[in-house]
Amino acid sequence: MEGSNDRSGLPRGIDHVGVTVPDIDEAIRFLERAFGAVPLYRNVTPDHPQQGPETERILGLAAGTVVREMCMVALGTGPCIELFEMHGPDQRSAVRPCDFGVQHFAVYVDDIEAGCRRFTEAGGMLLTGPQKQPSLEEGPGNFFCYGQTPWGMIVELLATPSRERFDAVSPEKRYQPPPRQEG
């Protein structure tokens, strides 16, 4: 298919990111306070959990794992976060950024200081204060900051209003969420 104009099966973009948390209600409260998240619906509930060999096979879970709850959560105008509360054998803490696999997700904020403040007030812990973006992402107002959620997952807060340097060398413009509509 190399060189082909066939674009069938190509993604539109990221729809959601799945995140396993130890307590779904606490995670929802954190995301609401930190990011103004909106819980959309619960697809799995404690009275109808997903479990058993078929669920384990479909989702690639360890034997004995129970998917207790799932909630799709909207974050502004970008991809959703699909929260899972699962309980299973040999569960581990969240991965570290140096481990293989998804290491963090990033949320775009217009005001990095206010975003960091909301994050910590909601119960998150910042790893540093806001830092200037490095290299090609450097520019007026371009900052980032990594933080850790109460359950140990890494989230990046970033603002990149000055996009000229990286847009100038990219074959396509990098996605930027549209401004948040309040109402």
Side-chain angles (χ1 to χ4, degrees), residues 32-79:
E32 288 173 325
R33 290 181 62 207
F35 303 128
V38 177
L40 300 177
Y41 57 86
R42 293 187 187 228
N43 205 30
V44 177
T45 59
D47 53 335
H48 293 96
Q50 292 181 340
Q51 58 189 338
E54 184 70 3
T55 296
E56 293 161 4
R57 185 184 65 76
I58 292 169
L59 300 178
L61 303 174
T65 300
V66 176
V67 181
R68 185 174 182 272
E69 288 191 71
M70 184 285 285
C71 182
M72 190 66 76
V73 180
L75 243 59
T77 57

Coordinates of all heavy atoms in Angstrom, one line a residue, residues 32-79:
E32 N -12.8 16.2 37.9 CA -13.8 17.3 37.9 C -13.1 18.6 38.5 O -13.2 19.7 37.9 CB -15.0 17.0 38.7 CG -16.0 16.0 38.0 CD -17.1 15.5 38.9 OE1 -16.9 15.4 40.1 OE2 -18.2 15.3 38.3
R33 N -12.5 18.4 39.6 CA -11.9 19.6 40.3 C -10.7 20.1 39.6 O -10.5 21.3 39.4 CB -11.5 19.2 41.7 CG -12.8 19.0 42.6 CD -12.4 18.7 44.1 NE -11.6 19.8 44.6 CZ -10.7 19.6 45.6 NH1 -10.5 18.4 46.1 NH2 -10.1 20.6 46.1
A34 N -9.8 19.2 39.1 CA -8.6 19.6 38.4 C -8.8 20.2 37.0 O -8.1 21.1 36.6 CB -7.6 18.4 38.4
F35 N -9.7 19.6 36.3 CA -9.8 19.9 34.8 C -11.2 20.2 34.4 O -11.4 20.4 33.2 CB -9.3 18.7 34.0 CG -7.9 18.3 34.3 CD1 -7.6 16.9 34.6 CD2 -6.9 19.2 34.3 CE1 -6.4 16.5 34.9 CE2 -5.6 18.8 34.6 CZ -5.3 17.5 34.9
G36 N -12.2 20.3 35.3 CA -13.6 20.6 34.9 C -14.2 19.5 34.1 O -15.0 19.7 33.2
A37 N -13.7 18.3 34.3 CA -14.2 17.1 33.5 C -15.6 16.9 33.8 O -16.2 17.3 34.8 CB -13.4 15.9 34.0
V38 N -16.3 16.3 32.8 CA -17.7 16.0 32.9 C -17.9 14.4 32.7 O -17.6 13.9 31.6 CB -18.5 16.7 31.8 CG1 -20.0 16.4 31.8 CG2 -18.3 18.2 31.9
P39 N -18.4 13.7 33.7 CA -18.7 12.3 33.6 C -19.8 12.2 32.6 O -20.9 12.8 32.7 CB -19.1 11.8 34.9 CG -18.6 12.9 35.9 CD -18.6 14.2 35.1
L40 N -19.7 11.4 31.5 CA -20.7 11.2 30.5 C -21.6 10.1 30.8 O -22.8 10.2 30.7 CB -20.0 11.1 29.1 CG -19.1 12.2 28.7 CD1 -18.5 11.9 27.3 CD2 -19.9 13.5 28.6
Y41 N -21.1 8.9 31.0 CA -21.9 7.7 31.3 C -21.1 6.6 31.9 O -19.9 6.6 31.7 CB -22.6 7.2 30.0 CG -21.7 6.9 28.9 CD1 -21.1 5.6 28.8 CD2 -21.4 7.8 27.9 CE1 -20.2 5.3 27.8 CE2 -20.5 7.5 26.9 CZ -19.9 6.3 26.8 OH -19.0 6.0 25.8
R42 N -21.8 5.7 32.6 CA -21.1 4.6 33.2 C -21.6 3.4 32.4 O -22.8 3.1 32.3 CB -21.4 4.4 34.7 CG -20.8 5.6 35.5 CD -20.9 5.4 37.0 NE -20.5 6.6 37.7 CZ -19.7 6.5 38.7 NH1 -19.2 5.4 39.1 NH2 -19.3 7.7 39.3
N43 N -20.6 2.7 31.8 CA -20.9 1.6 30.9 C -20.9 0.2 31.6 O -21.4 -0.7 31.2 CB -19.9 1.6 29.7 CG -20.5 0.9 28.5 OD1 -21.7 0.9 28.3 ND2 -19.6 0.3 27.7
V44 N -20.1 0.2 32.7 CA -20.0 -1.0 33.6 C -20.3 -0.5 35.0 O -19.8 0.6 35.4 CB -18.6 -1.6 33.5 CG1 -18.5 -2.8 34.5 CG2 -18.3 -2.1 32.1
T45 N -21.1 -1.2 35.7 CA -21.5 -0.7 37.1 C -21.2 -1.9 38.1 O -21.2 -3.0 37.7 CB -22.9 -0.3 37.2 OG1 -23.8 -1.4 36.7 CG2 -23.2 0.9 36.3
P46 N -21.1 -1.6 39.4 CA -20.9 -2.6 40.4 C -21.9 -3.7 40.4 O -21.6 -4.9 40.7 CB -20.8 -1.9 41.7 CG -20.5 -0.5 41.3 CD -21.1 -0.2 40.0
D47 N -23.2 -3.4 40.0 CA -24.2 -4.4 40.0 C -24.2 -5.3 38.7 O -24.8 -6.3 38.7 CB -25.6 -3.8 40.2 CG -25.9 -2.7 39.2 OD1 -25.0 -2.0 38.7 OD2 -27.1 -2.4 39.0
H48 N -23.4 -4.9 37.7 CA -23.2 -5.7 36.5 C -21.7 -5.6 36.1 O -21.4 -5.1 35.0 CB -24.1 -5.2 35.4 CG -25.5 -5.4 35.6 ND1 -26.3 -4.4 36.2 CD2 -26.3 -6.5 35.5 CE1 -27.6 -4.9 36.3 NE2 -27.6 -6.2 35.9
P49 N -20.8 -6.1 36.9 CA -19.4 -6.1 36.6 C -19.1 -7.0 35.4 O -19.8 -7.9 35.0 CB -18.7 -6.6 37.8 CG -19.7 -7.4 38.5 CD -21.0 -6.9 38.2
Q50 N -17.9 -6.7 34.8 CA -17.4 -7.6 33.7 C -16.3 -8.5 34.3 O -15.4 -8.0 34.9 CB -16.9 -6.8 32.5 CG -17.9 -6.0 31.8 CD -17.3 -5.3 30.6 OE1 -16.1 -5.0 30.6 NE2 -18.2 -4.9 29.7
Q51 N -16.5 -9.8 34.1 CA -15.5 -10.7 34.6 C -15.6 -12.1 33.9 O -16.5 -12.3 33.1 CB -15.7 -10.9 36.1 CG -17.0 -11.4 36.5 CD -17.3 -11.4 38.0 OE1 -16.3 -11.3 38.8 NE2 -18.5 -11.3 38.4
G52 N -14.6 -12.9 34.2 CA -14.6 -14.3 33.6 C -13.7 -14.4 32.4 O -13.1 -13.4 31.9
P53 N -13.6 -15.6 31.9 CA -12.6 -15.9 30.9 C -12.8 -15.1 29.6 O -11.9 -14.7 28.9 CB -12.8 -17.4 30.6 CG -13.3 -18.0 31.9 CD -14.2 -16.8 32.5
E54 N -14.1 -14.9 29.2 CA -14.3 -14.2 27.9 C -13.9 -12.7 28.1 O -13.2 -12.2 27.2 CB -15.8 -14.2 27.6 CG -16.2 -13.6 26.3 CD -15.7 -14.3 25.1 OE1 -15.1 -15.4 25.2 OE2 -15.8 -13.8 24.0
T55 N -14.2 -12.1 29.2 CA -13.8 -10.7 29.5 C -12.3 -10.6 29.5 O -11.7 -9.7 29.0 CB -14.4 -10.2 30.8 OG1 -15.8 -10.1 30.6 CG2 -13.9 -8.8 31.1
E56 N -11.7 -11.6 30.2 CA -10.2 -11.6 30.3 C -9.6 -11.7 28.9 O -8.6 -11.1 28.6 CB -9.8 -12.8 31.2 CG -10.2 -12.6 32.6 CD -10.2 -13.9 33.5 OE1 -9.8 -14.9 32.9 OE2 -10.6 -13.8 34.6
R57 N -10.1 -12.5 28.0 CA -9.6 -12.7 26.7 C -9.8 -11.5 25.9 O -8.8 -11.0 25.2 CB -10.3 -13.9 26.0 CG -9.7 -14.2 24.6 CD -10.5 -15.3 23.9 NE -11.8 -15.0 23.6 CZ -12.2 -14.1 22.6 NH1 -11.3 -13.6 21.8 NH2 -13.4 -13.9 22.4
I58 N -11.0 -10.9 25.9 CA -11.3 -9.7 25.1 C -10.4 -8.5 25.5 O -9.9 -7.8 24.6 CB -12.8 -9.3 25.2 CG1 -13.6 -10.4 24.5 CG2 -13.1 -8.0 24.6 CD1 -15.1 -10.3 24.8
L59 N -10.2 -8.3 26.8 CA -9.5 -7.1 27.3 C -8.1 -7.4 27.6 O -7.3 -6.5 28.0 CB -10.2 -6.5 28.5 CG -11.7 -6.1 28.3 CD1 -12.2 -5.6 29.6 CD2 -11.8 -5.0 27.2
G60 N -7.6 -8.6 27.5 CA -6.2 -9.0 27.8 C -5.9 -8.9 29.2 O -4.8 -8.4 29.6
L61 N -6.8 -9.3 30.1 CA -6.7 -9.1 31.5 C -6.1 -10.4 32.1 O -6.3 -11.5 31.6 CB -8.0 -8.9 32.2 CG -8.8 -7.6 31.7 CD1 -10.2 -7.6 32.3 CD2 -8.0 -6.4 32.0
A62 N -5.5 -10.3 33.3 CA -5.0 -11.4 34.1 C -6.2 -12.2 34.6 O -7.3 -11.6 34.9 CB -4.2 -10.9 35.3
A63 N -6.0 -13.5 34.6 CA -7.1 -14.4 35.1 C -7.5 -13.9 36.5 O -6.7 -13.6 37.4 CB -6.7 -15.8 35.2
G64 N -8.8 -13.8 36.7 CA -9.4 -13.4 38.0 C -9.7 -11.9 38.2 O -10.2 -11.5 39.2
T65 N -9.3 -11.2 37.1 CA -9.6 -9.7 37.2 C -11.1 -9.4 37.0 O -11.7 -10.0 36.2 CB -8.8 -9.0 36.1 OG1 -7.4 -9.2 36.3 CG2 -9.1 -7.5 36.1
V66 N -11.6 -8.5 37.8 CA -13.0 -8.0 37.7 C -13.0 -6.6 37.3 O -12.3 -5.7 38.0 CB -13.7 -8.2 39.1 CG1 -15.1 -7.6 39.0 CG2 -13.7 -9.7 39.5
V67 N -13.7 -6.2 36.2 CA -13.9 -4.8 35.8 C -15.1 -4.4 36.6 O -16.3 -4.8 36.3 CB -14.1 -4.7 34.3 CG1 -14.3 -3.2 34.0 CG2 -12.9 -5.3 33.5
R68 N -14.9 -3.7 37.7 CA -16.0 -3.3 38.6 C -16.9 -2.2 38.0 O -18.1 -2.2 38.1 CB -15.5 -2.9 39.9 CG -16.5 -2.6 41.0 CD -15.9 -2.4 42.4 NE -16.9 -2.1 43.3 CZ -17.4 -0.9 43.6 NH1 -16.9 0.1 43.0 NH2 -18.3 -0.8 44.5
E69 N -16.2 -1.1 37.4 CA -16.9 0.0 36.9 C -16.1 0.6 35.7 O -14.9 0.5 35.7 CB -17.1 1.1 37.9 CG -18.1 0.8 39.0 CD -18.4 2.0 39.8 OE1 -19.1 3.0 39.3 OE2 -18.0 2.1 41.0
M70 N -16.8 1.3 34.8 CA -16.2 2.0 33.8 C -17.0 3.3 33.6 O -18.3 3.3 33.6 CB -16.2 1.3 32.4 CG -15.5 2.0 31.3 SD -16.4 3.4 30.5 CE -17.6 2.6 29.6
C71 N -16.3 4.4 33.4 CA -17.0 5.7 33.2 C -16.3 6.5 32.2 O -15.0 6.7 32.3 CB -17.1 6.5 34.5 SG -17.9 8.1 34.4
M72 N -17.0 7.0 31.1 CA -16.4 7.8 30.1 C -16.5 9.3 30.6 O -17.6 9.7 31.0 CB -17.1 7.6 28.8 CG -16.5 8.3 27.6 SD -14.9 7.6 27.2 CE -15.4 6.1 26.3
V73 N -15.4 10.0 30.5 CA -15.3 11.3 31.1 C -14.8 12.3 30.0 O -13.8 12.0 29.3 CB -14.3 11.4 32.3 CG1 -14.2 12.8 32.9 CG2 -14.8 10.4 33.4
A74 N -15.5 13.4 29.8 CA -15.1 14.4 28.8 C -14.2 15.4 29.4 O -14.4 15.8 30.6 CB -16.4 15.1 28.3
L75 N -13.1 15.8 28.7 CA -12.2 16.8 29.1 C -12.1 17.8 28.1 O -11.5 17.7 27.1 CB -10.8 16.1 29.2 CG -10.1 16.1 30.6 CD1 -10.9 15.3 31.6 CD2 -8.7 15.5 30.5
G76 N -12.9 18.9 28.2 CA -12.9 20.0 27.3 C -13.3 19.5 25.9 O -14.3 18.7 25.8
T77 N -12.6 19.8 24.8 CA -13.0 19.5 23.5 C -12.1 18.4 22.9 O -12.2 18.2 21.7 CB -13.0 20.7 22.6 OG1 -11.7 21.3 22.6 CG2 -14.1 21.7 23.0
G78 N -11.3 17.8 23.6 CA -10.4 16.8 23.1 C -10.9 15.4 23.4 O -12.1 15.2 23.7
P79 N -10.0 14.4 23.3 CA -10.4 13.0 23.5 C -10.9 12.9 25.0 O -10.5 13.6 25.9 CB -9.0 12.3 23.4 CG -8.2 13.1 22.5 CD -8.6 14.5 22.9

